[in-house]
Amino acid sequence: MGEAIERFFATLPARAPAVLRNPIHGTLQVDLTRENRTEHWFVELSPGSVRVLREQLPADATFTVSMDLFERLVTGRAAGMAAVLRNEATFSGNVALFLLFRRFFPDPPSARDPRETARAHLGRSG
């Protein structure tokens, strides 16, 4: 397993207060596949906190993705929703949990806040 993936899961509890402000509670099983092997991560989400275990447990939702793609997700080189829509990853269960979990993925390095782009455009034209 890649260092970026390990670091991603290790930092979730510290990042949770800033990311998880919705009153949603639930559990998410993240299954990372590579060839004929699957690594399991169990993530318990609640407002302002996350608990992460390296186990396969019953969950409210399951996100299944290749390790390679997940590494691209956690480094901002791919987008979670786009991966699901392209069927490169699968999701089942409570969709709100996936929408909440994907907030932990960083934006692509070239991403810009649309408000900044609009302000820059208005500054040039005004």
Side-chain angles (χ1 to χ4, degrees):
M1 172 151 329
E3 184 180 320
I5 293 172
E6 294 277 349
R7 189 172 41 249
F8 172 79
F9 282 110
T11 64
L12 289 182
R15 296 171 46 215
V19 175
L20 300 178
R21 292 183 236 127
N22 295 9
I24 296 176
H25 296 270
T27 55
L28 176 66
Q29 182 73 47
V30 180
D31 292 337
L32 305 179
T33 63
R34 177 172 284 151
E35 297 172 6
N36 62 350
R37 189 180 73 170
T38 302
E39 301 233 357
H40 306 283
W41 293 84
F42 181 81
V43 182
E44 186 175 346
L45 304 161
S46 58
S49 70
V50 169
R51 185 172 70 121
V52 178
L53 303 170
R54 285 190 81 164
E55 297 182 37
Q56 183 177 16
L57 296 169
D60 300 316
T62 303
F63 180 47
T64 304
V65 60
S66 73
M67 285 186 204
D68 294 334
L69 177 55
F70 196 76
E71 188 163 325
R72 291 196 317 269
L73 291 171
V74 302
T75 57
R77 295 177 296 156
M81 185 57 76
V84 169
L85 293 174
R86 286 192 303 263
N87 208 27
E88 296 172 341
T90 61
F91 184 81
S92 63
N94 184 344
V95 72
L97 295 173
F98 173 68
L99 296 174
L100 192 61
F101 182 72
R102 73 186 180 120
R103 291 183 184 172
F104 284 105
F105 298 145
D107 292 328
S110 62
R112 293 180 52 192
D113 185 324
R115 293 170 292 196
E116 291 177 18
T117 303
R119 285 184 198 113
H121 179 72
L122 288 173
R124 284 193 302 264
S125 64

